[in-house]
Amino acid sequence: MKNLFSVIAIFSISLLFAQQKRQVRAATVGFLNVENLWDTVRSADYIDGTKDRSNPAFHRSVPLDSIKYLEVTEKDYKGPWNDESLVGKKVVRIQGGSEEFTPKSGKNYTYSVYKQKLANEAKVISEMGKSYTGTAPVVVGLLEVENRQVVEDLVKEPAIAKYDYGVVHYNSYDYRGIDIAFIYQKRRFTPSKSWKKEVKIFGDAGKREYTRDILVLTGFLDNEKVAFFLNHWPSRRGGEAASLPKRNAAAMVLRQQMDSIRALDPSTKLFAMGDFNDDPVSSSLKNGFKAVGNPKDLSETSPYLNLMYPLYKKGVASLAYQDAPNLFDQIIVSSNLHSPNNELKKDYTVFKAEIFAPDYLITKEGSYKGYPFRSWSGDKFTGGYSDHFPAFVILQKDPNP
């Protein structure tokens, strides 16, 4: 495993140099799995179905100790957990993972550990794509956040506070209580709409399981119409083949969402990103979602290009489990973002995509040498960053066509 990630490029050149002194406009779009970014307070989800579903108070995260002060109309609610079914009800859903991340847990998850986690993730965000663009990403997807508050705390960290990131977050009904979120530089991206899309999956005997939603964000990136789709698909728990139907279900939801936006306005540039818990050649992405790996295969019926396919073929990985490398962290774009031979155009197109693996994100010694430098080894905080490497795409255009 020593050289597992050695093929990942960690040195890069600026776009100005790459374009042989021709001035370009550039932007980074990326995401990272922040590996369990929880606050230190045990929490629960409180759903107040008397509120409008667009109101953040409809479904919010609250300290567990505060539940006794809130009205609950069904204390032993056994029905389905989704917004539609909970309209008119006031119920509590205990977050399955929150007890693990408290000062009284085996992890001894103190405020100082939480602050170190925030600083670590902010450092990574501040440097993603910076060697190309000279600045932090314009739009960033975040996986494995507990609630909106941890994202609000993150964007205030000194490493990224100056970029004035806005936040888009929705609580999910994930069984552990983890969510996904977007942050965006307000001066360069203007949001228009956002929503979450439920992914329905089932386990043994047809029992419903609850996972992360797909988060959709539309708006204008430097005045260009774009849409982002953030994913954290069901894991391979129980085995890759046995769990495949769950990721196929997520693939169908993602494809439907992207196709519907593309049908409304084919000029919209689409970005799907996240931890798909499958590789670019896996059935869920290749046959379910139908992403192509070669630009030559793009067509009206196959309009989505997986930018990570060439990296996968070169042996690049974003994580490893039991010495098996995987490239689960991927970015897929619509065909209107592809430019043959990186030809500079008046609108944004893809310059290149990368897995971000600078030296400090790589474990230096021990049995996990070469793996991502993760935050936790059992219950011990390592001071690391994540069990996944982040991914980003660099966009470019001619500012003076």
Side-chain angles (χ1 to χ4, degrees):
M1 295 303 298
K2 182 178 179 179
N3 297 315
L4 174 62
F5 299 106
S6 62
V7 294
I8 299 177
I10 59 174
F11 297 104
S12 56
I13 56 177
S14 72
L15 277 174
L16 291 178
F17 182 78
Q19 293 295 334
Q20 297 181 341
K21 298 183 180 180
R22 185 178 179 183
Q23 187 179 11
V24 301
R25 177 75 159 158
T28 303
V29 170
F31 72 94
L32 66 158
N33 185 318
V34 293
E35 191 190 4
N36 293 313
L37 182 56
W38 296 75
D39 60 28
T40 63
V41 179
R42 193 177 180 200
S43 302
D45 286 341
Y46 180 65
I47 298 92
D48 182 353
T50 65
K51 306 288 187 183
D52 188 89
R53 286 165 55 186
S54 63
N55 187 334
F58 180 94
H59 183 179
R60 67 186 192 270
S61 177
V62 298
L64 193 62
D65 291 345
S66 70
I67 294 300
K68 58 180 175 286
Y69 301 111
L70 299 172
E71 182 183 5
V72 177
T73 57
E74 296 188 36
K75 293 184 178 180
D76 296 311
Y77 177 73
K78 303 296 184 183
W81 292 96
N82 57 58
D83 290 355
E84 292 83 356
S85 300
L86 293 170
V87 170
K89 299 178 174 65
K90 294 183 178 182
V91 298
V92 171
R93 180 176 173 85
I94 303 299
Q95 295 179 350
S98 65
E99 187 175 12
E100 184 180 4
F101 294 91
T102 65
K104 295 181 180 180
S105 72
K107 280 184 164 56
N108 188 30
Y109 191 69
T110 62
Y111 183 72
S112 63
V113 174
Y114 174 56
K115 286 295 291 181
Q116 185 62 57
K117 273 287 293 178
L118 291 172
N120 285 0
E121 308 309 331
K123 173 181 171 65
V124 177
I125 293 169
S126 71
E127 296 181 2
M128 289 170 59
K130 190 173 183 178
S131 59
Y132 293 98
T133 65
T135 188
V138 178
V139 176
V140 185
L142 303 171
L143 312 182
E144 293 194 11
V145 299
E146 180 189 5
N147 50 40
R148 185 184 182 93
Q149 186 58 56
V150 300
V151 184
E152 296 281 5
D153 290 346
L154 176 62
V155 299
K156 294 174 185 174
E157 281 294 302
I160 58 175
K162 65 182 179 181
Y163 297 111
D164 191 25
Y165 280 110
V167 173
V168 175
H169 166 270
Y170 292 87
N171 283 299
S172 77
Y173 297 98
D174 174 76
Y175 73 102
R176 285 187 61 225
I178 58 172
D179 305 328
I180 60 180
F182 280 112
I183 61 174
Y184 60 91
Q185 290 192 35
K186 297 174 185 176
R187 67 184 181 86
R188 296 187 62 184
F189 177 77
T190 304
S192 53
K193 292 182 180 179
S194 64
W195 62 91
K196 63 177 183 177
K197 194 65 180 178
E198 181 182 23
V199 176
K200 291 184 178 180
I201 60 173
F202 300 87
D204 297 338
K207 185 178 180 181
R208 175 73 188 274
E209 295 181 358
Y210 292 92
T211 188
R212 284 74 55 181
D213 303 310
I214 293 175
L215 179 54
V216 184
L217 172 62
T218 66
F220 295 87
L221 172 60
D222 293 333
N223 298 316
E224 293 187 32
K225 198 171 184 180
V226 295
F228 301 101
F229 307 80
L230 188 59
N231 302 261
H232 190 178
W233 286 8
S235 74
R236 291 185 172 188
R237 186 178 51 171
E240 177 183 353
S243 59
L244 177 61
K246 300 175 185 179
R247 292 184 297 283
N248 281 339
M252 294 299 100
V253 174
L254 176 60
R255 180 70 191 231
Q256 185 276 326
Q257 290 293 292
M258 294 181 72
D259 282 352
S260 63
I261 289 180
R262 185 169 172 267
L264 286 173
D265 187 349
S267 70
T268 305
K269 294 179 167 64
L270 311 181
F271 301 79
M273 64 184 85
D275 175 2
F276 294 92
N277 272 304
D278 268 334
D279 291 310
V281 296
S282 297
S283 178
S284 62
L285 287 159
K286 192 173 181 180
N287 303 319
F289 179 76
K290 299 186 185 302
V292 302
N294 190 326
K296 294 181 180 179
D297 296 326
L298 288 169
S299 66
E300 185 61 31
T301 56
S302 299
Y304 305 121
L305 178 66
N306 193 328
L307 299 178
M308 296 328 199
Y309 181 83
L311 298 180
Y312 177 80
K313 298 304 267 186
K314 292 178 181 178
V316 173
S318 61
L319 76 159
Y321 179 68
Q322 296 182 342
D323 278 1
N326 292 107
L327 185 50
F328 288 173
D329 301 88
Q330 301 166 52
I331 299 175
I332 300 167
V333 299
S334 52
S335 57
N336 55 359
L337 278 156
H338 171 65
S339 178
N341 302 315
N342 282 323
E343 179 184 349
L344 203 57
K345 296 185 176 182
K346 68 175 182 177
D347 295 326
Y348 275 132
T349 56
V350 170
F351 174 66
K352 72 178 306 184
E354 282 189 7
I355 295 298
F356 185 54
D359 188 63
Y360 67 85
L361 288 185
I362 303 173
T363 302
K364 302 298 187 299
E365 57 188 20
S367 56
Y368 297 105
K369 184 176 182 179
Y371 284 37
F373 183 22
R374 64 182 305 165
S375 300
W376 297 97
S377 177
D379 281 341
K380 181 181 178 182
F381 181 60
T382 67
Y385 298 80
S386 177
D387 53 348
H388 291 243
F389 291 133
F392 65 79
V393 58
I394 300 296
L395 308 175
Q396 64 173 6
K397 67 177 176 179
D398 189 343
N400 301 297

